[in-house]
Amino acid sequence: MELLIATAVGALTAAGIYMVLRLRTFPVIIGTSLLSYAVNVFLFASGRLALNAPPVLRDGVETYTDPLPQALVLTAIVISFGMTAVVVIIALGSWLSSDDDLVDVPAVSDGDAAEPALPREQRQEAAQ
Amino acid sequence: MSLFIIVLLPFLGALLPGLMIRAGRQVCYTTTMLVTGAAAIGLATHAPAILRGETVTAKLDWLPGLGLNANLFLDPLGFMFAALILGIGLLIVAYARYYLSREDNMGEFYVYLLLFQGAMVGIVLSDNILLLLIFWELTSLSSFLLIGYWKHLPEGRQGARMALAVTGMGGLALIGGMLLLGQIAGSYDLTVILERRGQIQDSPLYLPALLLILLGCFTKSAQFPFHFWLPHAMAAPTPVSAYLHSATMVKAGLFLMARLWPVLSGTPEWTALVAGAGLLTMVLGALIAIFKHDLKALLAFSTVSHLGLITFLLGTGTAFGAMAAVFHILNHASFKAALFMSAGIVDHEAHTRDMRRLGGLRKLMPITFSIALLAGLSMAGIPLLNGFLSKEMMLEEATHTTLFGSPMLVTVAATVGALFSAAYSFRLIAHTYFGPERDDYPSHPHDPGAGMWLPPGLLIIPVVVIGLFPALAEPFVKLVTGAVIGNAAELPDAHLKIWHGLVPALWMSVIAVIGGALLLMAFRPLSKAWEAAPRPEAKAIFDDVIAGSVALSRGLTQRLHDGAFTRYAAIMVVTVVAIGAHAWFTGTAGLPTREMLPMTPIAVVAWAMLIAAAAFLVAAHRNRLAVLILMGIIGLMVSVGFNHFSAPDLALTQISVEVVTIILLLLALNFLPNRTPAESGAPRRIRDGVIALSGGAAAAGLIYTILMSDFPLGTISDYHLANSYKGGGGDNVVNVILVDFRGFDTFGEIIVLGIAALVIYALTETLLSSKVRARLLNRGYETEQAGDAHPLMMVVLTRVMMPVVLMVGVYIFLRGHNEPGGGFVAGLVVAIAVVMQYMASGFAWAARRQRYPYHGIIGAGVLVAGLTGIGSWFAGVPFLTSAFGYFRIPPMQEFELATAMGFDLGVFLAVVGAVMLSLESFSRLARRQDTEDSEYAMDIDPSRGAELVPGRAKEEN
């Protein structure tokens, strides 16, 4: 059973990384979501696997699975929804306002990039 | 007055001038005077105790765990410096009142001045070296503001930047040195450190600590080779120069050397470094000063030279040297501040400070002339003035000092330094005030009002009085010297007096004065030779170094951060995998210690579905709708897996989050293209595939190893299992962890979630207020429309389901403490129930029926959770401590009420609000021009008849 979990985490991670490396926003968002699954399962599994031992206290039951990773992962799942939503609105904003959903910033020539990096004052001083 | 108030007064007072300037310059000035005056009076109240030889302390534990305590102490050394800072501060405030012109913002000036004053007083009163470091950095910052006060002058800005760069860099070194010192001594309290001389000097860390501390002191006190920033800081208004460079900023380095003298001095390293650097700075600064034409530049280099002199005296490591240093600090502060102010008067009146354009001012400005003459002769070391006395002591000390194996070296260098010093002092007086009166001054000079000449005039009083009656100053100088040397040495049996007999120092003095006069006579040819000689220009070197490091870091940044985010991601993954692989192959992973659980057929089926979905997703990722469906399968399998492995709470959460995430992505897909274009070629895909597979293999290998071994250090979960019911009153341990054990984390998390939703809302607002709005409203349809966007079946079904789903939500919420469920899941379920209404009847219809704004619900959630936590304060227990009890209201069964429920309610509300606000924001983008705000819940309603269908009716007509 451990082998199944490990390979599932591996598959989700690999798929997530591959999608994150794509050039458009939508697949990158999908990639981060897949990575979230992988990370959540990873964290959950770090409490070791147990069958039929939910951490809900019952009289006469002695063995329970590790509740701590579960609590951590529970909030992580909800937070990752918030994160996905923020990334999606950013991607939408860039697509709607510039018709561009490429992830990479287009390469600029050195001269263009150097100019705005200097504060105005320094440029004036350099010119003097 | 408490020492805390003395230190805090200037800081608090710094708030006032900026406000008071609205009431006029005079009010602003008076306020500043009162603030500084109050601090000075506060200091004066301690004078009797200090003169009795007592030490005043004030202690306050701030962060005792770090050894950082706000401890202050006032001993004679601190008292002398604090008196100089506040006393000369008063004179500077008065002088600046008349110096600053109407165009200068006086309020701003006094704000910076008071901040600086507070920081300086803080340095000299600190009993904790960490506290001292904080004030030290504050002086660097506030002096930056002061030096760059005239923002319109490029020299002012450049000078301020240079001062900040050099002293800030030194400050960083000092932090390192002080931390080392604290480590060696085992305490960060100065009073403790000062008693650990042997322990510190025997430590192998002594040398690194010494070097770092001296780097801080030398940069601050402008010692060679860091002397170059000080002359450039002269671009500041003259009151600033007079304050920073006579009494305060540059003396901070000297103060620290004097303060740490008992524990650091006396070693060969100390003598070589401190005395050597001081001597070199003294000679070099004096030499450069001779040939400066700008009055303030001359004074700046003379300050560098005198700082070198004092550094040299501290560096010799003898008690007599320390006494001479203390005496010269006092004397230098008085005559140098007076000289700076007189130079400012000349500048103010004649509108130039260039000595080549001045001369003959003796008759025109008799008062200023008298002040400058007395102060200048004191600087030159002429008898009957205070500068003579301490210079004699320096020369005396020099004859007894051996440096680098040569006894003559120091004697000769000190005499040459004194000679140069006499030369530039004579030149300052002769070339400004003597000679014929000219008729080409930029402005006709005359003596200013008393407001301007009185402050330097007052400073002349000690110059003359101490010069004539040195015995008056002796008790105080000896008291301060005693504080400097502490237990490390005996107080020297020497007296301050004018006539010591025909000692070598007297002859050296005579040589210096005569030589200085001769040098001045030969000034013209010497100056020509000096101008012709090649000299390294410190500013050019500094600028080159700065430009070089800027170019280097820019080149590096632009190469690494060229905007290719996919490349960053690839680099990050490869780096993490490489580091992990290194750890894996060099470390030792334990052998499996756990038995593998047997595979069940159902698990294998679910696993196969997940793997297949992931594989198909990658293969078909250009079809975005298919991707979403496959994501749904993966999410479902993950949640089934959670359930299978004893995590019912996770399964519930995962499946509800899955629903809202897919809805969210569908909404996004509404705007984005349906297909991802094929762009990357085969090599790129292979490269990405290799990276992805290596990352996946790494993750799989790591988790497999973890799963097959036991906890190496045991688990803390047993505590939670054991105390869940006893302490938290709940059976569902996961829920109790969320609302009780780790309640503070959860509180933070719902706030983060709320902020994320508000960010989405804000970004949507920004989009809708830009040109994007028109485009969104007018965009066409890519595909054929259904014509029945809000179908009857769906509307009816969702309406019927709504109360049922809400009830499920309430049920899940209520059982959460003891059974799987809780605020998070309940919030998601309720959000889904509401979202269904939006989907069925359209955004506009549903939004009109939404009574409470979602922001408010988020806020209410955070408030409820926070108030529940605060409630426990009233019971006298820490934040978020839960209480619970069991109640019975007939005819119901006994039930439990816990304060954790209030907290969980907050979580519930925040989750509902955050999810709904996000989804609502996305839906608002979807409105088109022809979207009609329907009155009705569904488009086709048999009870209304076909003609009442909006949109339809028009078309048919």
Side-chain angles (χ1 to χ4, degrees), chain B residues 81-212:
Chain B
F81 271 94
L84 282 178
I85 293 159
L86 293 171
I88 296 189
L90 276 173
L91 299 178
I92 296 290
V93 171
Y95 178 79
R97 161 77 181 87
Y98 298 96
Y99 180 88
L100 293 176
S101 74
R102 295 233 155 247
E103 288 91 64
D104 296 323
N105 183 346
M106 185 187 261
E108 187 187 341
F109 181 85
Y110 282 140
V111 167
Y112 297 160
L113 197 74
L114 285 177
L115 280 178
F116 178 76
Q117 199 173 63
M120 279 304 303
V121 174
I123 287 185
V124 300
L125 294 190
S126 293
D127 185 19
N128 186 289
I129 54 177
L130 299 176
L131 191 67
L132 189 148
L133 287 172
I134 294 171
F135 287 120
W136 186 278
E137 296 296 326
L138 278 177
T139 60
S140 291
L141 289 176
S142 50
S143 66
F144 169 78
L145 294 171
L146 278 172
I147 296 170
Y149 172 70
W150 278 331
K151 303 180 194 67
H152 54 281
L153 297 180
E155 299 85 29
R157 299 194 301 264
Q158 287 165 3
R161 229 167 26 226
M162 189 191 275
L164 184 68
V166 176
T167 57
M169 193 187 70
L172 286 179
L174 185 68
I175 292 175
M178 288 300 218
L179 290 178
L180 281 180
L181 190 68
Q183 283 295 314
I184 303 172
S187 166
Y188 290 111
D189 282 339
L190 257 176
T191 31
V192 178
I193 293 175
L194 289 182
E195 283 164 8
R196 306 261 160 97
R197 178 187 172 96
Q199 191 180 337
I200 289 168
Q201 297 199 348
D202 293 340
S203 161
L205 288 175
Y206 167 74
L207 193 59
L210 178 72
L211 288 175
L212 289 170

Side-chain angles (χ1 to χ4, degrees), chain B residues 785-793 795 840 938-941 949 952:
Chain B
Q785 293 301 292
D788 185 12
H790 309 298
L792 174 123
M793 282 299 281
V795 173
M938 48 197 130
D939 293 347
I940 301 168
D941 186 345
V949 177
R952 273 290 150 121

